[in-house]
Amino acid sequence: GTISENPVNPQAATTIHAPLMLHHSVKALITLTSTQSNAFPQELVDSLLHVLKQTGKSLNRLDMALKVEKGRLTAMIESLPDGIFMIDTNNNLQIINPSGRQMLLLHKDNLTTMDVLSALPVSYDFKGKIASAMHHNQIQEVGEIQMRNKLYSFTITPVHATTGTVLGVSVLMRDNTLKHAVPRMKEDFTNIIVHELRSPLTSIKASSELLISPVDFSKEEQTKLIHLIYTQSNKLLTDVQQILDAAKLEAGVFTLTKKSADLKQVIK
C-alpha cells in the first residue's frame, strides 16, 4: 500500500507505482513514468499517496453503504408474503424469494430461469410475456391462473437502471385463493348462523305455546318448559353476540379487553 519506484521501461528514467486499496487489497495501480531522473518531487509523491488513501477510504464507505442497502433490499424481498423473482436481459435468474420458491415448489439450490419457467403453466407463455415486457418496456399482467388447486395472479414489471436502461424484469406472484374463498365462507357462515338461530327460536316458540295452551301442566312440567325457554334464550343471545362480533371484526372496530390469567388454566 505504498508508492514504489520500479523502472520497468528501459526508456523511462523514473517509474512510480501507486496502489489504490479497497478493503485491504489492491484494486488498481496508477503508474507514472518519465524519461528524466527524479522527475517527481517528494511533495508530489506524498500528495498522490494521500489522495489515493482518501479515495480508498471513500470507496470503502461507499462499498459498505451499497452492501448495507443491498442487504436491506434482500431482507425486504425475502420477507414478502408474495412470491417474486427477477430475470435479467440475458435470461439469468437474479433472485427468487422463499415465498416464490414455495409457490412454485422449487426447493433445490442454484435455481435457473429454466427451472422457474418450467414450474409455470406452459399454456400462458410466460417466456414470451417476459420478453415482451423487456422489449416494449411495459408492464404485463397475467390473469388468475389455477395451479395445484390455488389461484395466482402475475405482474411482470420492467426493472430500470438509474439511466433508464432496462436491466430485466421482476415477476410478482400473488395468491388470490383466499380472496375468492371469502365470499363462499361468508355464505356458509350465514347458512350456519340461520340454522343456529332457528333451533333455539323453535324451542322457545314451542315451549311458549305449550305454556299458554289450555293444557293443565304440573308445576314440575312448567318449570322444565320455563328452564328450556331460559337456556335457549341465552344460547340465542350468545349466537347474536357472535354475529355482532364478526361484524365488528370486519369493520375493524373490534376491541379486545385484556386481563391477567393463569396460562395453565387457560390451556387446561
Side-chain angles (χ1 to χ4, degrees), residues 259-268:
K259 63 180 181 180
S260 300
D262 184 350
L263 185 59
K264 186 185 293 185
Q265 286 299 115
V266 172
I267 296 173
K268 185 177 180 180

Side-chain angles (χ1 to χ4, degrees), residues 70-71 73-78 83-88 92-98 100-101 111-113 116 159 169-171 173:
K70 182 179 179 181
L73 180 61
T74 301
M76 181 182 69
I77 291 175
E78 290 185 349
I84 189 168
F85 62 88
M86 179 183 172
I87 297 175
D88 64 19
N92 295 318
L93 181 67
Q94 293 296 318
I95 191 171
I96 180 169
N97 69 344
R101 286 174 171 270
L111 289 174
T112 65
T113 301
V116 173
V159 178
V169 296
S170 66
V171 181
M173 300 176 287

Side-chain angles (χ1 to χ4, degrees), residues 183-248:
R184 181 174 54 80
M185 293 167 63
K186 285 184 176 180
E187 184 178 350
D188 293 343
F189 175 74
T190 302
N191 293 334
I192 292 171
I193 287 298
V194 169
H195 175 76
E196 291 296 317
L197 294 180
R198 181 183 296 170
S199 180
L201 282 172
T202 301
S203 298
I204 292 170
K205 182 175 180 293
S207 300
S208 301
E209 288 174 346
L210 287 173
L211 284 174
I212 63 176
S213 67
V215 179
D216 188 14
F217 291 102
S218 65
K219 187 70 173 176
E220 182 180 355
E221 290 173 332
Q222 290 180 359
T223 302
K224 287 182 178 179
L225 289 172
I226 293 172
H227 180 71
L228 181 62
I229 292 173
Y230 175 77
T231 54
Q232 292 302 307
S233 298
N234 281 334
K235 184 180 184 307
L236 186 62
L237 285 172
T238 300
D239 291 341
V240 171
Q241 186 60 51
Q242 288 179 347
I243 296 173
L244 293 174
D245 288 344
K248 289 179 180 178

Side-chain angles (χ1 to χ4, degrees), residues 101-174:
R101 286 174 171 270
Q102 184 64 35
M103 290 177 180
L104 299 177
L105 300 180
L106 297 172
H107 303 297
K108 72 174 186 177
D109 296 330
N110 302 319
L111 289 174
T112 65
T113 301
M114 186 59 67
D115 294 325
V116 173
L117 294 179
S118 298
L120 295 168
V122 180
S123 56
Y124 286 88
D125 189 22
F126 277 93
K127 184 177 180 180
K129 288 181 170 60
I130 288 172
S132 178
M134 289 186 191
H135 180 71
H136 298 290
N137 194 16
Q138 291 181 343
I139 296 175
Q140 298 282 327
E141 297 282 352
V142 182
E144 289 174 341
I145 298 174
Q146 185 165 357
M147 296 192 312
R148 296 176 290 276
N149 298 322
K150 289 193 174 184
L151 287 172
Y152 295 99
S153 62
F154 295 79
T155 303
I156 304 171
T157 306
V159 178
H160 303 95
T162 53
T163 58
T165 306
V166 176
L167 299 177
V169 296
S170 66
V171 181
L172 179 71
M173 300 176 287
R174 179 157 291 167

Side-chain angles (χ1 to χ4, degrees), residues 242-256:
Q242 288 179 347
I243 296 173
L244 293 174
D245 288 344
K248 289 179 180 178
L249 279 170
E250 191 169 12
V253 295
F254 188 77
T255 303
L256 292 176

